[in-house]
Amino acid sequence: MKKIVVLTGAGMSAESGIATFRDSGGLWNQYKIEDVATPEGFVKNPQLVLDFYNMRRKETLAAKPNLGHIELAEMQNDYDISIITQNVDNLHEKAGSKKVLHLHGELMKVQSTKYLDLIYELNADNIEINIGDTCERGAQLRPYIVWFGEAVPMMENAIKTVQTADILVVIGTSLNVYPAAGLINYAPSGIPVYLIDPNEVKAQRAGVIYIKKGASEGVKELRELLLQ
Ligand code: OAD
């Protein structure tokens, strides 16, 4: 089986009704990154940060995978598919994808602010964390999200995965945020690289095949191209 590594970003979930970050109306037009997505923001106003992610969690819980997620899961019948996602939602898993690496954390998990290996999965009927919610050793809980300025612990695994690709597919990311955006450079030279996005995205790599469509239509077209 050919190995396809898929790097996804917020555009992957746009058709599921989850806002992207940098499109017009995106989250970073409504909130300041430094307020809700940095360790400094959390120190300054922890409840604001917790509320922001409590809201994101509520949206995610209500969201359904779109055709793009579903088709990627279906492709597992014909290819060895590894997904590396910058998304913190769980829509790839909901669609049935088996190998999903979350580079920027997961909304449905929370982490101790003091004992970083204490990570808990939230269940659907308890999706909020607030000030005073603590880990089993008494330290405040925080969202299990990689904030700006923090290390990306999954990066090493992600690089190793990209290095084994026969085909690389990039879907719905503006490739603005590093180190995630740099992953495409670790793909073996000469392999086909497809980029699905309805808008223009500049990939710093030669020979990229652009599919200028949204995720659902784009993955459908990708499947047809791969059959040729
Ligand atoms: P961006 O919001 O920067 O980019 C979203 C991309 O999705 C853009 O290139 C859009 O053109 C594209 N897009 C919009 N609608 C689409 C659709 N229907 N189908 C496919 N693509 C579509 O989001 P990311 O690149 O994912 O990190 O952002 C990277 C990181 O920045 C996020 O993981 C997040 C953010 O700050 C953290 O919060 C740590």
Side-chain angles (χ1 to χ4, degrees):
M1 260 189 190
K2 280 208 165 157
K3 169 133 193 165
I4 304 186
V5 176
V6 188
L7 173 66
T8 67
M12 184 77 227
S13 298
E15 289 159 37
S16 295
I18 298 179
T20 62
F21 295 95
R22 295 176 183 78
D23 290 300
S24 67
L27 281 175
W28 297 154
N29 289 325
Q30 302 167 50
Y31 297 89
K32 282 194 188 150
I33 289 181
E34 55 271 33
D35 287 345
V36 296
T38 61
E40 294 78 15
F42 189 57
V43 168
K44 199 168 131 204
N45 192 343
Q47 191 62 55
L48 175 85
V49 176
L50 294 179
D51 285 342
F52 175 77
Y53 290 99
N54 287 340
M55 205 142 66
R56 304 275 82 74
R57 234 172 259 126
K58 217 164 142 189
E59 282 170 6
T60 290
L61 207 65
K64 292 193 176 67
N66 62 57
L67 260 181
H69 295 107
I70 292 167
E71 295 236 1
L72 280 177
E74 278 176 19
M75 286 171 74
Q76 292 173 127
N77 297 327
D78 302 311
Y79 305 94
D80 174 9
I81 306 251
S82 283
I83 295 175
I84 300 170
T85 187
Q86 296 168 84
N87 298 345
V88 295
D89 64 52
N90 54 7
L91 295 178
H92 283 301
E93 290 92 338
K94 273 196 193 169
S97 283
K98 300 279 182 255
K99 291 196 231 165
V100 184
L101 182 153
H102 286 270
L103 261 188
H104 292 163
E106 294 176 66
L107 262 182
M108 291 306 286
K109 291 183 180 169
V110 293
Q111 183 178 34
S112 169
T113 47
K114 199 161 169 199
Y115 308 100
L116 301 186
D117 52 334
L118 292 181
I119 295 161
Y120 305 90
E121 179 120 31
L122 295 172
N123 61 44
D125 32 73
N126 179 25
I127 55 166
E128 277 200 7
I129 50 168
N130 290 298
I131 303 292
D133 291 337
T134 56
C135 72
E136 69 219 47
R137 299 182 69 183
Q140 175 65 43
L141 290 173
R142 59 165 276 179
Y144 182 53
I145 302 285
V146 176
W147 285 325
F148 286 90
E150 293 187 315
V152 185
M154 290 301 193
M155 197 56 197
E156 211 173 302
N157 276 347
I159 290 172
K160 281 190 190 140
T161 302
V162 171
Q163 284 172 333
T164 64
D166 297 314
I167 298 166
L168 180 70
V169 180
V170 180
I171 308 176
T173 171
S174 62
L175 294 175
N176 266 304
V177 174
Y178 283 80
L183 275 173
I184 57 172
N185 299 317
Y186 290 93
S189 59
I191 68 161
V193 178
Y194 295 88
L195 190 150
I196 300 171
D197 201 296
N199 300 306
E200 196 163 322
V201 174
K202 286 256 173 319
Q204 306 294 331
R205 188 178 165 112
V208 174
I209 303 150
Y210 289 92
I211 301 176
K212 211 169 175 214
K213 292 195 167 154
S216 298
E217 285 295 307
V219 176
K220 213 163 124 199
E221 182 164 326
L222 170 75
R223 288 182 86 172
E224 284 157 13
L225 288 172
L226 291 176
L227 282 178
Q228 283 168 16

